[in-house]
């Protein structure tokens, strides 16, 4: 999984969490249905926003859900998943932009991609994803050429960028690509008047995605000698933060201009969670699961940011004295038969990706299948930091009924 909008489930209401998972699983299954099993590796948290925006603008949701079979990433449970044009557009966009990411890594000669045979294979996979995304896009009336053109221009812009080059010059291709994808959701939903504000939201979202990726990777890029837009243009983190905050504010203003039928999830993801993403990347605020009273700067990201590092023991470190462990042997109902090693690994990955191990009311142990409660389910972390204070972003607007008191 990759992407900048990674909401922790304890910040979503139960209904919105179910909707978010429906779009995430819908994107994954749309990739499988249209492009085969391998394409599922490009499932990402940001791509599902295209599906969310499409559904937020339609009058009726009839036929936009189906029940999917058991999946290791859902602890082998069935679930309602999104289907239809929004999910397929999200799949097409994800494929094309993932191919761009692969080519970018090839150009930077990252890791195994330094080896010529591996780089050649990666280029072929990226090219096949471009073609597959173009086919799906064409069936939806979306020309992915604008995405491919943006990808092609990115390499040339990076080659010419140097100290003094505006950072916005470097982010422009990404902005153009995401603006086109966001705007087309209005076309699919039959609300062409939404195309302009959603294009603006998409443009700023693309800028923010590029900025945060650069901030999070700057130290690693410096160590490996890879190209990084902040380092190449001489942009400091203070200016990068200013641009990121401006982008978040601009997205909120653009969303106010759009006409949604039910925009609660879109609002939570793009107005509330984007702010958390910025804080997480810059390491300036956040909620440390399981450590009440954690200071700002000790953010709850799974990766250390430039200004902070994860809590001792990792983000899922148990609280001392936490009563929610495995029940003693011989007490309570006998658990079902344990899972095998590989099946347990798949379930463990799903529990981590969806934050169930820290936030769920109850989850099933990946190998033992015993019932557990999330580490921070009853913690008071939300009283000691601003991670759940979603109202700070609304600036007095009547945004929506998203579960907060805005």
């Amino acid at each position: 999984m990759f992407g900048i909008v990674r909401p922790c489930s304890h910040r979503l209401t139960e209904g919105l969490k179910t909707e978010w998972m429906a779009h995430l699983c819908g994107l994954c299954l749309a990739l499988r249905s249209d492009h085969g099993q391998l394409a599922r590796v490009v499932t990402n948290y940001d791509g599902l926003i295209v599906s969310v925006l499409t559904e937020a603008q339609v009058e009726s949701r009839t036929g936009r859900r189906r029940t999917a079979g058991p999946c290791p990433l859902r602890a082998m449970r069935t679930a309602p998943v999104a289907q239809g044009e929004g999910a397929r557009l999200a799949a097409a966009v994800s494929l094309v932009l993932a191919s761009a990411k692969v080519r970018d890594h090839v150009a930077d000669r990252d890791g195994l991609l330094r080896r010529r045979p591996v780089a050649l294979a990666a280029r072929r996979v990226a090219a096949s994803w471009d073609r597959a995304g173009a086919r799906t896009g064409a069936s939806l009336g979306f020309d992915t050429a604008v995405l491919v053109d943006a990808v092609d221009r990115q390499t040339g812009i990076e080659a010419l960028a140097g100290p003094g080059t505006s950072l916005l010059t470097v982010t422009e291709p990404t902005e153009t690509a995401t603006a086109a994808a966001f705007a087309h959701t209005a076309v699919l939903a039959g609300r062409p008047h939404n195309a302009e504000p959603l294009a603006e939201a998409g443009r700023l979202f693309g800028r923010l995605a590029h900025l945060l990726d650069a901030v999070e990777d700057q130290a690693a890029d410096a160590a490996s000698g890879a190209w990084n837009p902040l380092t190449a243009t001489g942009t400091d983190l203070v200016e990068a933060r200013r641009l990121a905050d401006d982008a978040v504010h601009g997205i909120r203003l653009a969303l106010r201009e759009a006409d949604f039928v039910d925009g609660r999830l879109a609002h939570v993801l793009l107005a509330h969670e984007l702010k958390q993403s910025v804080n997480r990347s810059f390491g300036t605020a956040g909620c440390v699961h399981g450590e009440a009273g954690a200071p700002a700067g000790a953010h709850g990201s799974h990766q250390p940011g430039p200004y902070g590092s994860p809590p001792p023991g990792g983000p899922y470190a148990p609280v001392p004295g936490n009563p929610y462990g495995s029940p003693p042997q011989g007490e309570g109902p006998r658990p079902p038969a344990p899972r095998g090693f590989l099946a347990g690994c798949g379930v463990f990955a799903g529990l981590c990706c969806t934050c169930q191990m820290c936030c769920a009311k109850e989850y099933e142990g990946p190998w033992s299948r015993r019932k557990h409660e999330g580490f921070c389910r009853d913690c008071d972390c939300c009283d000691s930091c601003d991670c759940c204070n979603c109202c700070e972003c609304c600036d007095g607007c009547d945004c929506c009924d998203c579960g907060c008191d805005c």
Side-chain angles (χ1 to χ4, degrees):
M1 299 289 187
F2 56 93
I4 63 172
V5 184
R6 305 189 294 269
C8 192
S9 58
H10 79 292
R11 286 199 301 264
L12 298 177
T13 64
E14 193 64 32
L16 291 182
K17 181 170 65 176
T18 300
E19 288 295 301
W20 183 77
M21 285 299 300
H23 287 283
L24 181 62
C25 294
L27 169 58
C28 180
L29 294 176
L31 285 164
R32 184 198 66 182
S33 298
D34 287 350
H35 310 292
Q37 291 285 358
L38 178 60
R40 298 175 79 176
V41 302
V42 308
T43 302
N44 66 95
Y45 295 124
D46 295 345
L48 69 87
I49 293 175
V50 172
S51 178
V52 170
L53 286 173
T54 303
E55 190 170 281
Q57 300 173 75
V58 297
E59 290 288 350
S60 173
R61 295 191 177 183
T62 303
R64 293 185 175 273
R65 289 288 184 276
R66 71 177 181 86
T67 300
C71 174
L73 297 182
R74 292 193 300 269
M76 299 307 294
R77 293 186 175 92
T78 61
V81 301
Q83 64 176 352
E85 294 178 330
R88 296 185 66 217
L89 177 62
V93 171
S94 295
L95 275 174
V96 176
L97 296 184
S99 74
K101 197 175 186 74
V102 169
R103 283 198 292 269
D104 184 56
H105 286 305
V106 170
D108 290 341
R109 297 172 60 83
D110 292 338
L112 289 175
L113 295 174
R114 293 177 181 272
R115 299 182 179 180
R116 188 173 179 180
V118 178
L120 180 61
R123 288 193 187 97
R124 288 179 176 174
V125 170
S128 70
W129 284 348
D130 279 340
R131 293 191 296 270
R135 288 195 301 270
T136 300
S139 69
L140 299 171
F142 179 64
D143 186 1
T144 59
V146 65
L147 306 184
V148 176
D149 175 68
V151 170
D152 291 341
R153 286 190 294 107
Q154 186 73 53
T155 304
I157 290 173
E158 291 180 359
L160 296 174
T165 301
S166 170
L167 192 58
L168 300 187
T169 300
V170 179
T171 63
E172 180 274 323
T174 307
E175 295 177 21
T176 300
T178 50
F182 276 41
H184 198 70
T185 65
V187 177
L188 293 181
R191 293 178 179 267
H193 55 282
N194 279 345
E196 185 175 347
L198 291 182
E200 176 66 7
R203 183 179 68 82
L204 294 173
F205 182 86
R207 176 184 300 179
L208 191 60
H210 204 134
L211 283 173
L212 298 191
D213 184 63
V215 170
E216 292 179 351
D217 292 347
Q218 189 174 25
D221 288 343
S224 65
W227 194 90
N228 183 281
L230 297 178
T231 304
T233 60
T235 304
D236 59 27
L237 290 176
V238 174
E239 174 63 9
R241 180 62 190 254
R242 184 189 70 79
L243 291 172
D245 287 338
D246 284 350
V248 171
H249 183 65
I251 289 171
R252 294 172 186 159
L253 295 178
L255 290 179
R256 295 180 189 178
E257 299 299 319
D259 176 24
F260 293 118
V261 175
D262 184 356
R264 289 176 297 171
L265 182 58
H267 177 87
V268 167
L269 295 178
L270 292 173
H272 301 295
E273 290 299 332
L274 274 184
K275 182 65 174 178
Q276 299 299 329
S277 299
V278 172
N279 288 336
R280 180 174 61 243
S281 295
F282 284 90
T284 54
C287 180
V288 179
H289 299 164
E291 290 198 356
H299 55 89
S301 167
H302 296 187
Q303 299 292 333
Y307 298 132
S309 48
Y316 298 122
V319 182
N322 178 17
Y324 304 118
S326 301
Q329 293 183 355
E331 296 184 15
R334 186 173 182 177
R339 291 189 181 91
F341 176 74
L342 293 179
C345 288
V347 175
F348 178 80
L351 292 172
C352 290
C353 289
T354 57
C355 290
Q356 291 183 63
M357 294 185 77
C358 62
C359 304
K361 292 181 180 179
E362 184 178 79
Y363 70 91
E364 193 175 76
W367 289 280
S368 68
R369 304 190 72 172
R370 291 181 181 273
K371 298 297 183 182
H372 302 271
E373 291 180 280
F375 296 140
C376 74
R377 176 196 172 210
D378 295 320
C379 75
D380 58 356
C381 61
C382 296
D383 296 326
S384 58
C385 73
D386 63 354
C387 71
C388 299
N389 184 16
C390 62
C391 300
E392 66 177 358
C393 72
C394 296
D395 299 328
C397 74
D398 58 356
C399 49
C400 67
D401 180 21
C402 61
C404 67
D405 298 325
C406 301

